Amino acid sequence: MALMSRSLRGAWAVTCRHTTRSRVLPVAVRSAPLSISAPALSPLSHAGPTNRLWVRPTVEPLTPMIRRFYYASGGLEVPIPQLGDSVTEGTVEEFVKSVGDYVEMDEIVGTIETDKASQEIRAPEAGVLTDLCVSVGDTVQVGDIFFKLDTSASAPVGGADSKKEAAKTETAVPKPREAEKPKEAPKSSPAPSAPEQGAAPSGGSSIQTSTGANANLTVAGSSRVERRVPMSRMRKKIAERLKDAQNTNAMLTTFNEIDMGDLMDLRKKHKESFEKKHGVKLGFMSAFVRAATIALQDLPAINAVIDGDEIVYREYVDISVAVATPKGLVVPVLRDCQNMSFADVEHNLNELAVKARDGKLSIEEMTGGTFTISNGGVFGSLMGTPIINPPQSAIMGMHATNKKPVVRNDEIVIRPMMYVALTYDHRLVDGREAATFLVTTRNLIQDPAAMLLQ
């Protein structure tokens, strides 16, 4: 076993191969358990022609637990865990703990921002932080050491928060006031001199005059300051994906308008009983999710995607719902919408919206999706052309509901109307299908009871 490379970290599964049997022996090499999946290749040692010890070279984690390395008695090096599928690096966003702080098991130490979300890095065991191995703003790779813990240290008396409380007490003690210095006598102001020719009169604003067409005009107290800040990883990724969508898809947008009156009456009539029964408020989004799901099942091309020279048709509906956060737009996914009721949609939407606002969405919760709904109406948008969320083929945009005159039964009446838009990839979706999708959605929203018959 001494022949194993010192740079190798992991518990390897080693096969002791005999002529009549083979067995797997776990060997600890300062890391988390790993499994071997490739055929046996390299003999390390052998006692005879029929008894050889092999090590299989392909390594995979046995468990999703955080890998960690013991560097001394009671010491623990905590590396950056897997941040998600295809995510190999991130930027250190913040540390919520400092060197010398005592942390409990599973307590947050810091966060790392990736292209898709912020990941919390937690302490795998209780102990005292002895070192923060990276700094805020550093670009780090999966597997880099994030911090070190002294797991042999005991918790401070009164718990982990006693140190913070003591610090607060110290800052609360008022410091003795210094003796007041005698005030200096006010200096006499010089006599005002005669204003020069072209000088601005006193009073707050000054104007610099000059002859010629390019005269400079400056207002006293005005500011022309510019700030440059680095783009966050999420914002850079959003910009990259949106531009890729424009370059790849043949995007076209079609519009329609929906009379929201019947849906608003339905919500007003049943919102209290709905909330009492299901513990969640009845909103408009659940109706649009349900209507879009029915339309997508009737028009499978809109729920499909181009993959090379093939078209992939999905027999399920996973709808991404765009949510605005302080860090940027995120699109958590409602999975298997074809099996969801109004209450299921509202429960899942509330849960995902809270996670999005708190920055706690996981990569898995934003991965996938076959169709996207974006509701710009919550910000007062009257009409817009949403951009496709790749690798999807279409996105529906909801907008603000406003009262306007419309014709009903040959009479002009005032109704609450909403514009809706569908941007689609014209390489795959024809105009007939796009228009039919919006008409189907409109008819279901204007007659909510019809959704119960689907």
PDB file of all heavy atoms in Angstrom, residues 63-101:
ATOM      1  N   THR A  63     -20.952   8.804  -1.242  1.00  0.00           N
ATOM      2  CA  THR A  63     -22.053   9.544  -0.642  1.00  0.00           C
ATOM      3  C   THR A  63     -21.953  10.997  -1.049  1.00  0.00           C
ATOM      4  O   THR A  63     -20.877  11.479  -1.417  1.00  0.00           O
ATOM      5  CB  THR A  63     -22.002   9.460   0.906  1.00  0.00           C
ATOM      6  OG1 THR A  63     -20.772  10.052   1.337  1.00  0.00           O
ATOM      7  CG2 THR A  63     -22.053   8.021   1.373  1.00  0.00           C
ATOM      8  N   PRO A  64     -23.070  11.759  -0.991  1.00  0.00           N
ATOM      9  CA  PRO A  64     -23.028  13.170  -1.349  1.00  0.00           C
ATOM     10  C   PRO A  64     -22.508  14.055  -0.239  1.00  0.00           C
ATOM     11  O   PRO A  64     -22.616  15.262  -0.323  1.00  0.00           O
ATOM     12  CB  PRO A  64     -24.516  13.470  -1.638  1.00  0.00           C
ATOM     13  CG  PRO A  64     -25.255  12.524  -0.770  1.00  0.00           C
ATOM     14  CD  PRO A  64     -24.417  11.273  -0.727  1.00  0.00           C
ATOM     15  N   MET A  65     -21.966  13.477   0.829  1.00  0.00           N
ATOM     16  CA  MET A  65     -21.488  14.260   1.965  1.00  0.00           C
ATOM     17  C   MET A  65     -20.296  15.138   1.561  1.00  0.00           C
ATOM     18  O   MET A  65     -19.628  14.900   0.567  1.00  0.00           O
ATOM     19  CB  MET A  65     -21.059  13.344   3.106  1.00  0.00           C
ATOM     20  CG  MET A  65     -19.896  12.431   2.728  1.00  0.00           C
ATOM     21  SD  MET A  65     -19.486  11.269   4.025  1.00  0.00           S
ATOM     22  CE  MET A  65     -18.899  12.379   5.271  1.00  0.00           C
ATOM     23  N   ILE A  66     -20.040  16.184   2.328  1.00  0.00           N
ATOM     24  CA  ILE A  66     -18.910  17.059   2.059  1.00  0.00           C
ATOM     25  C   ILE A  66     -17.616  16.304   2.311  1.00  0.00           C
ATOM     26  O   ILE A  66     -17.426  15.704   3.362  1.00  0.00           O
ATOM     27  CB  ILE A  66     -18.975  18.313   2.968  1.00  0.00           C
ATOM     28  CG1 ILE A  66     -20.229  19.125   2.640  1.00  0.00           C
ATOM     29  CG2 ILE A  66     -17.730  19.156   2.820  1.00  0.00           C
ATOM     30  CD1 ILE A  66     -20.396  20.340   3.501  1.00  0.00           C
ATOM     31  N   ARG A  67     -16.707  16.347   1.317  1.00  0.00           N
ATOM     32  CA  ARG A  67     -15.429  15.699   1.520  1.00  0.00           C
ATOM     33  C   ARG A  67     -14.585  16.539   2.479  1.00  0.00           C
ATOM     34  O   ARG A  67     -14.606  17.762   2.431  1.00  0.00           O
ATOM     35  CB  ARG A  67     -14.701  15.547   0.180  1.00  0.00           C
ATOM     36  CG  ARG A  67     -15.396  14.586  -0.742  1.00  0.00           C
ATOM     37  CD  ARG A  67     -14.627  14.463  -2.020  1.00  0.00           C
ATOM     38  NE  ARG A  67     -14.568  15.768  -2.678  1.00  0.00           N
ATOM     39  CZ  ARG A  67     -13.636  16.091  -3.565  1.00  0.00           C
ATOM     40  NH1 ARG A  67     -12.668  15.267  -3.842  1.00  0.00           N
ATOM     41  NH2 ARG A  67     -13.660  17.264  -4.155  1.00  0.00           N
ATOM     42  N   ARG A  68     -13.806  15.924   3.305  1.00  0.00           N
ATOM     43  CA  ARG A  68     -13.011  16.670   4.257  1.00  0.00           C
ATOM     44  C   ARG A  68     -11.712  15.926   4.553  1.00  0.00           C
ATOM     45  O   ARG A  68     -11.653  14.707   4.489  1.00  0.00           O
ATOM     46  CB  ARG A  68     -13.786  16.907   5.552  1.00  0.00           C
ATOM     47  CG  ARG A  68     -14.382  15.651   6.156  1.00  0.00           C
ATOM     48  CD  ARG A  68     -15.359  16.030   7.264  1.00  0.00           C
ATOM     49  NE  ARG A  68     -15.873  14.881   7.975  1.00  0.00           N
ATOM     50  CZ  ARG A  68     -16.931  14.185   7.620  1.00  0.00           C
ATOM     51  NH1 ARG A  68     -17.588  14.523   6.548  1.00  0.00           N
ATOM     52  NH2 ARG A  68     -17.338  13.157   8.324  1.00  0.00           N
ATOM     53  N   PHE A  69     -10.700  16.648   4.927  1.00  0.00           N
ATOM     54  CA  PHE A  69      -9.382  16.084   5.162  1.00  0.00           C
ATOM     55  C   PHE A  69      -8.931  16.428   6.585  1.00  0.00           C
ATOM     56  O   PHE A  69      -8.982  17.585   6.985  1.00  0.00           O
ATOM     57  CB  PHE A  69      -8.354  16.640   4.167  1.00  0.00           C
ATOM     58  CG  PHE A  69      -8.780  16.557   2.737  1.00  0.00           C
ATOM     59  CD1 PHE A  69      -8.541  17.607   1.878  1.00  0.00           C
ATOM     60  CD2 PHE A  69      -9.419  15.434   2.240  1.00  0.00           C
ATOM     61  CE1 PHE A  69      -8.936  17.544   0.555  1.00  0.00           C
ATOM     62  CE2 PHE A  69      -9.801  15.365   0.930  1.00  0.00           C
ATOM     63  CZ  PHE A  69      -9.567  16.422   0.080  1.00  0.00           C
ATOM     64  N   TYR A  70      -8.485  15.444   7.331  1.00  0.00           N
ATOM     65  CA  TYR A  70      -7.912  15.684   8.644  1.00  0.00           C
ATOM     66  C   TYR A  70      -6.442  16.035   8.467  1.00  0.00           C
ATOM     67  O   TYR A  70      -5.683  15.299   7.850  1.00  0.00           O
ATOM     68  CB  TYR A  70      -8.061  14.440   9.524  1.00  0.00           C
ATOM     69  CG  TYR A  70      -9.455  14.282  10.065  1.00  0.00           C
ATOM     70  CD1 TYR A  70     -10.417  13.563   9.367  1.00  0.00           C
ATOM     71  CD2 TYR A  70      -9.818  14.894  11.243  1.00  0.00           C
ATOM     72  CE1 TYR A  70     -11.707  13.435   9.841  1.00  0.00           C
ATOM     73  CE2 TYR A  70     -11.114  14.777  11.738  1.00  0.00           C
ATOM     74  CZ  TYR A  70     -12.049  14.042  11.039  1.00  0.00           C
ATOM     75  OH  TYR A  70     -13.319  13.927  11.514  1.00  0.00           O
ATOM     76  N   TYR A  71      -6.054  17.203   9.004  1.00  0.00           N
ATOM     77  CA  TYR A  71      -4.671  17.628   8.838  1.00  0.00           C
ATOM     78  C   TYR A  71      -3.870  17.497  10.115  1.00  0.00           C
ATOM     79  O   TYR A  71      -2.663  17.655  10.105  1.00  0.00           O
ATOM     80  CB  TYR A  71      -4.602  19.073   8.345  1.00  0.00           C
ATOM     81  CG  TYR A  71      -5.183  20.100   9.282  1.00  0.00           C
ATOM     82  CD1 TYR A  71      -4.401  20.719  10.243  1.00  0.00           C
ATOM     83  CD2 TYR A  71      -6.525  20.465   9.207  1.00  0.00           C
ATOM     84  CE1 TYR A  71      -4.931  21.669  11.096  1.00  0.00           C
ATOM     85  CE2 TYR A  71      -7.059  21.408  10.048  1.00  0.00           C
ATOM     86  CZ  TYR A  71      -6.249  22.011  10.993  1.00  0.00           C
ATOM     87  OH  TYR A  71      -6.780  22.939  11.841  1.00  0.00           O
ATOM     88  N   ALA A  72      -4.529  17.255  11.260  1.00  0.00           N
ATOM     89  CA  ALA A  72      -3.825  17.045  12.520  1.00  0.00           C
ATOM     90  C   ALA A  72      -4.831  16.471  13.494  1.00  0.00           C
ATOM     91  O   ALA A  72      -5.998  16.315  13.197  1.00  0.00           O
ATOM     92  CB  ALA A  72      -3.231  18.360  13.049  1.00  0.00           C
ATOM     93  N   SER A  73      -4.364  16.166  14.696  1.00  0.00           N
ATOM     94  CA  SER A  73      -5.272  15.632  15.702  1.00  0.00           C
ATOM     95  C   SER A  73      -6.338  16.660  16.027  1.00  0.00           C
ATOM     96  O   SER A  73      -6.036  17.751  16.511  1.00  0.00           O
ATOM     97  CB  SER A  73      -4.483  15.278  16.964  1.00  0.00           C
ATOM     98  OG  SER A  73      -5.357  14.831  17.975  1.00  0.00           O
ATOM     99  N   GLY A  74      -7.578  16.334  15.762  1.00  0.00           N
ATOM    100  CA  GLY A  74      -8.673  17.253  16.042  1.00  0.00           C
ATOM    101  C   GLY A  74      -8.859  18.317  14.984  1.00  0.00           C
ATOM    102  O   GLY A  74      -9.747  19.136  15.096  1.00  0.00           O
ATOM    103  N   GLY A  75      -7.999  18.378  13.964  1.00  0.00           N
ATOM    104  CA  GLY A  75      -8.097  19.405  12.933  1.00  0.00           C
ATOM    105  C   GLY A  75      -8.821  18.892  11.714  1.00  0.00           C
ATOM    106  O   GLY A  75      -8.760  17.724  11.382  1.00  0.00           O
ATOM    107  N   LEU A  76      -9.479  19.807  11.006  1.00  0.00           N
ATOM    108  CA  LEU A  76     -10.292  19.408   9.865  1.00  0.00           C
ATOM    109  C   LEU A  76     -10.180  20.457   8.778  1.00  0.00           C
ATOM    110  O   LEU A  76     -10.396  21.642   9.020  1.00  0.00           O
ATOM    111  CB  LEU A  76     -11.747  19.254  10.298  1.00  0.00           C
ATOM    112  CG  LEU A  76     -12.721  18.617   9.306  1.00  0.00           C
ATOM    113  CD1 LEU A  76     -12.370  17.170   9.058  1.00  0.00           C
ATOM    114  CD2 LEU A  76     -14.139  18.716   9.851  1.00  0.00           C
ATOM    115  N   GLU A  77      -9.790  20.046   7.569  1.00  0.00           N
ATOM    116  CA  GLU A  77      -9.804  20.914   6.404  1.00  0.00           C
ATOM    117  C   GLU A  77     -11.087  20.650   5.624  1.00  0.00           C
ATOM    118  O   GLU A  77     -11.351  19.514   5.237  1.00  0.00           O
ATOM    119  CB  GLU A  77      -8.585  20.649   5.522  1.00  0.00           C
ATOM    120  CG  GLU A  77      -7.263  21.038   6.155  1.00  0.00           C
ATOM    121  CD  GLU A  77      -6.094  20.753   5.225  1.00  0.00           C
ATOM    122  OE1 GLU A  77      -6.276  19.917   4.316  1.00  0.00           O
ATOM    123  OE2 GLU A  77      -5.033  21.339   5.417  1.00  0.00           O
ATOM    124  N   VAL A  78     -11.863  21.679   5.400  1.00  0.00           N
ATOM    125  CA  VAL A  78     -13.152  21.526   4.724  1.00  0.00           C
ATOM    126  C   VAL A  78     -13.039  22.091   3.315  1.00  0.00           C
ATOM    127  O   VAL A  78     -12.864  23.296   3.140  1.00  0.00           O
ATOM    128  CB  VAL A  78     -14.281  22.228   5.491  1.00  0.00           C
ATOM    129  CG1 VAL A  78     -15.611  22.046   4.789  1.00  0.00           C
ATOM    130  CG2 VAL A  78     -14.359  21.692   6.914  1.00  0.00           C
ATOM    131  N   PRO A  79     -13.107  21.240   2.293  1.00  0.00           N
ATOM    132  CA  PRO A  79     -13.024  21.729   0.918  1.00  0.00           C
ATOM    133  C   PRO A  79     -14.372  22.180   0.388  1.00  0.00           C
ATOM    134  O   PRO A  79     -15.414  21.941   0.995  1.00  0.00           O
ATOM    135  CB  PRO A  79     -12.514  20.505   0.160  1.00  0.00           C
ATOM    136  CG  PRO A  79     -13.107  19.366   0.912  1.00  0.00           C
ATOM    137  CD  PRO A  79     -13.162  19.775   2.357  1.00  0.00           C
ATOM    138  N   ILE A  80     -14.334  22.814  -0.764  1.00  0.00           N
ATOM    139  CA  ILE A  80     -15.560  23.257  -1.426  1.00  0.00           C
ATOM    140  C   ILE A  80     -16.214  22.046  -2.073  1.00  0.00           C
ATOM    141  O   ILE A  80     -15.587  21.348  -2.879  1.00  0.00           O
ATOM    142  CB  ILE A  80     -15.236  24.328  -2.471  1.00  0.00           C
ATOM    143  CG1 ILE A  80     -14.652  25.551  -1.771  1.00  0.00           C
ATOM    144  CG2 ILE A  80     -16.469  24.713  -3.282  1.00  0.00           C
ATOM    145  CD1 ILE A  80     -14.062  26.570  -2.698  1.00  0.00           C
ATOM    146  N   PRO A  81     -17.475  21.753  -1.727  1.00  0.00           N
ATOM    147  CA  PRO A  81     -18.137  20.559  -2.272  1.00  0.00           C
ATOM    148  C   PRO A  81     -18.578  20.777  -3.706  1.00  0.00           C
ATOM    149  O   PRO A  81     -18.413  21.859  -4.280  1.00  0.00           O
ATOM    150  CB  PRO A  81     -19.339  20.389  -1.334  1.00  0.00           C
ATOM    151  CG  PRO A  81     -19.658  21.788  -0.921  1.00  0.00           C
ATOM    152  CD  PRO A  81     -18.357  22.514  -0.829  1.00  0.00           C
ATOM    153  N   GLN A  82     -19.173  19.756  -4.279  1.00  0.00           N
ATOM    154  CA  GLN A  82     -19.736  19.871  -5.627  1.00  0.00           C
ATOM    155  C   GLN A  82     -20.826  20.931  -5.618  1.00  0.00           C
ATOM    156  O   GLN A  82     -21.733  20.907  -4.782  1.00  0.00           O
ATOM    157  CB  GLN A  82     -20.309  18.525  -6.070  1.00  0.00           C
ATOM    158  CG  GLN A  82     -20.772  18.493  -7.509  1.00  0.00           C
ATOM    159  CD  GLN A  82     -19.634  18.673  -8.498  1.00  0.00           C
ATOM    160  OE1 GLN A  82     -18.551  18.158  -8.278  1.00  0.00           O
ATOM    161  NE2 GLN A  82     -19.870  19.417  -9.563  1.00  0.00           N
ATOM    162  N   LEU A  83     -20.746  21.885  -6.544  1.00  0.00           N
ATOM    163  CA  LEU A  83     -21.661  23.013  -6.566  1.00  0.00           C
ATOM    164  C   LEU A  83     -22.841  22.807  -7.501  1.00  0.00           C
ATOM    165  O   LEU A  83     -23.706  23.665  -7.594  1.00  0.00           O
ATOM    166  CB  LEU A  83     -20.899  24.283  -6.970  1.00  0.00           C
ATOM    167  CG  LEU A  83     -19.735  24.671  -6.052  1.00  0.00           C
ATOM    168  CD1 LEU A  83     -18.959  25.832  -6.645  1.00  0.00           C
ATOM    169  CD2 LEU A  83     -20.233  25.021  -4.664  1.00  0.00           C
ATOM    170  N   GLY A  84     -22.894  21.692  -8.190  1.00  0.00           N
ATOM    171  CA  GLY A  84     -23.992  21.404  -9.101  1.00  0.00           C
ATOM    172  C   GLY A  84     -23.466  20.796 -10.384  1.00  0.00           C
ATOM    173  O   GLY A  84     -22.252  20.779 -10.649  1.00  0.00           O
ATOM    174  N   ASP A  85     -24.372  20.304 -11.192  1.00  0.00           N
ATOM    175  CA  ASP A  85     -23.991  19.703 -12.470  1.00  0.00           C
ATOM    176  C   ASP A  85     -23.314  20.734 -13.355  1.00  0.00           C
ATOM    177  O   ASP A  85     -23.831  21.844 -13.548  1.00  0.00           O
ATOM    178  CB  ASP A  85     -25.227  19.144 -13.178  1.00  0.00           C
ATOM    179  CG  ASP A  85     -25.826  17.963 -12.429  1.00  0.00           C
ATOM    180  OD1 ASP A  85     -25.097  17.359 -11.629  1.00  0.00           O
ATOM    181  OD2 ASP A  85     -27.018  17.666 -12.644  1.00  0.00           O
ATOM    182  N   SER A  86     -22.158  20.371 -13.890  1.00  0.00           N
ATOM    183  CA  SER A  86     -21.377  21.185 -14.825  1.00  0.00           C
ATOM    184  C   SER A  86     -20.839  22.471 -14.194  1.00  0.00           C
ATOM    185  O   SER A  86     -20.320  23.329 -14.903  1.00  0.00           O
ATOM    186  CB  SER A  86     -22.195  21.533 -16.079  1.00  0.00           C
ATOM    187  OG  SER A  86     -23.195  22.503 -15.795  1.00  0.00           O
ATOM    188  N   VAL A  87     -20.957  22.641 -12.881  1.00  0.00           N
ATOM    189  CA  VAL A  87     -20.423  23.822 -12.203  1.00  0.00           C
ATOM    190  C   VAL A  87     -19.123  23.422 -11.514  1.00  0.00           C
ATOM    191  O   VAL A  87     -19.120  22.579 -10.617  1.00  0.00           O
ATOM    192  CB  VAL A  87     -21.422  24.390 -11.170  1.00  0.00           C
ATOM    193  CG1 VAL A  87     -20.818  25.606 -10.464  1.00  0.00           C
ATOM    194  CG2 VAL A  87     -22.721  24.769 -11.847  1.00  0.00           C
ATOM    195  N   THR A  88     -18.013  24.012 -11.929  1.00  0.00           N
ATOM    196  CA  THR A  88     -16.710  23.631 -11.395  1.00  0.00           C
ATOM    197  C   THR A  88     -16.037  24.734 -10.592  1.00  0.00           C
ATOM    198  O   THR A  88     -15.056  24.472  -9.902  1.00  0.00           O
ATOM    199  CB  THR A  88     -15.769  23.228 -12.538  1.00  0.00           C
ATOM    200  OG1 THR A  88     -15.617  24.336 -13.449  1.00  0.00           O
ATOM    201  CG2 THR A  88     -16.330  22.033 -13.305  1.00  0.00           C
ATOM    202  N   GLU A  89     -16.534  25.947 -10.669  1.00  0.00           N
ATOM    203  CA  GLU A  89     -15.912  27.032  -9.932  1.00  0.00           C
ATOM    204  C   GLU A  89     -16.957  28.054  -9.519  1.00  0.00           C
ATOM    205  O   GLU A  89     -18.101  28.042  -9.980  1.00  0.00           O
ATOM    206  CB  GLU A  89     -14.820  27.703 -10.769  1.00  0.00           C
ATOM    207  CG  GLU A  89     -15.346  28.434 -11.997  1.00  0.00           C
ATOM    208  CD  GLU A  89     -14.251  29.167 -12.747  1.00  0.00           C
ATOM    209  OE1 GLU A  89     -13.069  28.816 -12.568  1.00  0.00           O
ATOM    210  OE2 GLU A  89     -14.579  30.099 -13.502  1.00  0.00           O
ATOM    211  N   GLY A  90     -16.548  28.947  -8.626  1.00  0.00           N
ATOM    212  CA  GLY A  90     -17.428  29.996  -8.142  1.00  0.00           C
ATOM    213  C   GLY A  90     -16.615  31.127  -7.548  1.00  0.00           C
ATOM    214  O   GLY A  90     -15.380  31.085  -7.512  1.00  0.00           O
ATOM    215  N   THR A  91     -17.312  32.140  -7.061  1.00  0.00           N
ATOM    216  CA  THR A  91     -16.675  33.296  -6.442  1.00  0.00           C
ATOM    217  C   THR A  91     -17.112  33.383  -4.982  1.00  0.00           C
ATOM    218  O   THR A  91     -18.308  33.288  -4.692  1.00  0.00           O
ATOM    219  CB  THR A  91     -17.059  34.595  -7.173  1.00  0.00           C
ATOM    220  OG1 THR A  91     -16.656  34.488  -8.541  1.00  0.00           O
ATOM    221  CG2 THR A  91     -16.378  35.794  -6.545  1.00  0.00           C
ATOM    222  N   VAL A  92     -16.157  33.565  -4.082  1.00  0.00           N
ATOM    223  CA  VAL A  92     -16.479  33.687  -2.660  1.00  0.00           C
ATOM    224  C   VAL A  92     -17.278  34.966  -2.457  1.00  0.00           C
ATOM    225  O   VAL A  92     -16.804  36.073  -2.741  1.00  0.00           O
ATOM    226  CB  VAL A  92     -15.202  33.703  -1.796  1.00  0.00           C
ATOM    227  CG1 VAL A  92     -15.567  33.821  -0.326  1.00  0.00           C
ATOM    228  CG2 VAL A  92     -14.380  32.436  -2.040  1.00  0.00           C
ATOM    229  N   GLU A  93     -18.502  34.804  -1.983  1.00  0.00           N
ATOM    230  CA  GLU A  93     -19.410  35.948  -1.857  1.00  0.00           C
ATOM    231  C   GLU A  93     -19.286  36.614  -0.497  1.00  0.00           C
ATOM    232  O   GLU A  93     -19.169  37.840  -0.398  1.00  0.00           O
ATOM    233  CB  GLU A  93     -20.842  35.475  -2.095  1.00  0.00           C
ATOM    234  CG  GLU A  93     -21.856  36.585  -2.215  1.00  0.00           C
ATOM    235  CD  GLU A  93     -23.221  36.065  -2.621  1.00  0.00           C
ATOM    236  OE1 GLU A  93     -23.555  34.903  -2.297  1.00  0.00           O
ATOM    237  OE2 GLU A  93     -23.963  36.826  -3.268  1.00  0.00           O
ATOM    238  N   GLU A  94     -19.296  35.825   0.565  1.00  0.00           N
ATOM    239  CA  GLU A  94     -19.169  36.389   1.909  1.00  0.00           C
ATOM    240  C   GLU A  94     -18.854  35.295   2.909  1.00  0.00           C
ATOM    241  O   GLU A  94     -19.066  34.105   2.654  1.00  0.00           O
ATOM    242  CB  GLU A  94     -20.459  37.100   2.326  1.00  0.00           C
ATOM    243  CG  GLU A  94     -21.650  36.172   2.516  1.00  0.00           C
ATOM    244  CD  GLU A  94     -22.840  36.861   3.152  1.00  0.00           C
ATOM    245  OE1 GLU A  94     -22.642  37.904   3.807  1.00  0.00           O
ATOM    246  OE2 GLU A  94     -23.962  36.341   3.027  1.00  0.00           O
ATOM    247  N   PHE A  95     -18.301  35.713   4.054  1.00  0.00           N
ATOM    248  CA  PHE A  95     -18.128  34.853   5.207  1.00  0.00           C
ATOM    249  C   PHE A  95     -19.017  35.388   6.321  1.00  0.00           C
ATOM    250  O   PHE A  95     -18.984  36.582   6.628  1.00  0.00           O
ATOM    251  CB  PHE A  95     -16.670  34.838   5.689  1.00  0.00           C
ATOM    252  CG  PHE A  95     -15.765  33.973   4.858  1.00  0.00           C
ATOM    253  CD1 PHE A  95     -14.903  34.537   3.933  1.00  0.00           C
ATOM    254  CD2 PHE A  95     -15.769  32.597   5.009  1.00  0.00           C
ATOM    255  CE1 PHE A  95     -14.068  33.743   3.170  1.00  0.00           C
ATOM    256  CE2 PHE A  95     -14.941  31.794   4.246  1.00  0.00           C
ATOM    257  CZ  PHE A  95     -14.086  32.372   3.331  1.00  0.00           C
ATOM    258  N   VAL A  96     -19.812  34.509   6.908  1.00  0.00           N
ATOM    259  CA  VAL A  96     -20.662  34.916   8.024  1.00  0.00           C
ATOM    260  C   VAL A  96     -20.019  34.579   9.362  1.00  0.00           C
ATOM    261  O   VAL A  96     -20.554  34.922  10.410  1.00  0.00           O
ATOM    262  CB  VAL A  96     -22.056  34.260   7.925  1.00  0.00           C
ATOM    263  CG1 VAL A  96     -22.764  34.729   6.658  1.00  0.00           C
ATOM    264  CG2 VAL A  96     -21.957  32.741   7.927  1.00  0.00           C
ATOM    265  N   LYS A  97     -18.890  33.892   9.306  1.00  0.00           N
ATOM    266  CA  LYS A  97     -18.128  33.570  10.510  1.00  0.00           C
ATOM    267  C   LYS A  97     -16.700  34.063  10.350  1.00  0.00           C
ATOM    268  O   LYS A  97     -16.202  34.226   9.233  1.00  0.00           O
ATOM    269  CB  LYS A  97     -18.131  32.056  10.781  1.00  0.00           C
ATOM    270  CG  LYS A  97     -19.514  31.470  11.061  1.00  0.00           C
ATOM    271  CD  LYS A  97     -20.048  31.950  12.395  1.00  0.00           C
ATOM    272  CE  LYS A  97     -21.397  31.309  12.695  1.00  0.00           C
ATOM    273  NZ  LYS A  97     -21.951  31.778  13.989  1.00  0.00           N
ATOM    274  N   SER A  98     -16.033  34.285  11.485  1.00  0.00           N
ATOM    275  CA  SER A  98     -14.657  34.763  11.476  1.00  0.00           C
ATOM    276  C   SER A  98     -13.758  33.764  12.179  1.00  0.00           C
ATOM    277  O   SER A  98     -14.225  32.868  12.894  1.00  0.00           O
ATOM    278  CB  SER A  98     -14.565  36.134  12.169  1.00  0.00           C
ATOM    279  OG  SER A  98     -15.445  37.067  11.582  1.00  0.00           O
ATOM    280  N   VAL A  99     -12.451  33.926  11.978  1.00  0.00           N
ATOM    281  CA  VAL A  99     -11.478  33.067  12.652  1.00  0.00           C
ATOM    282  C   VAL A  99     -11.630  33.240  14.162  1.00  0.00           C
ATOM    283  O   VAL A  99     -11.705  34.365  14.675  1.00  0.00           O
ATOM    284  CB  VAL A  99     -10.047  33.415  12.199  1.00  0.00           C
ATOM    285  CG1 VAL A  99      -9.023  32.645  13.027  1.00  0.00           C
ATOM    286  CG2 VAL A  99      -9.868  33.098  10.726  1.00  0.00           C
ATOM    287  N   GLY A 100     -11.681  32.126  14.865  1.00  0.00           N
ATOM    288  CA  GLY A 100     -11.883  32.152  16.307  1.00  0.00           C
ATOM    289  C   GLY A 100     -13.311  31.912  16.738  1.00  0.00           C
ATOM    290  O   GLY A 100     -13.565  31.648  17.920  1.00  0.00           O
ATOM    291  N   ASP A 101     -14.247  31.991  15.809  1.00  0.00           N
ATOM    292  CA  ASP A 101     -15.653  31.732  16.148  1.00  0.00           C
ATOM    293  C   ASP A 101     -15.880  30.231  16.323  1.00  0.00           C
ATOM    294  O   ASP A 101     -15.289  29.412  15.619  1.00  0.00           O
ATOM    295  CB  ASP A 101     -16.587  32.247  15.046  1.00  0.00           C
ATOM    296  CG  ASP A 101     -16.684  33.757  15.031  1.00  0.00           C
ATOM    297  OD1 ASP A 101     -16.153  34.384  15.968  1.00  0.00           O
ATOM    298  OD2 ASP A 101     -17.271  34.304  14.075  1.00  0.00           O
TER     299      ASP A 101
END
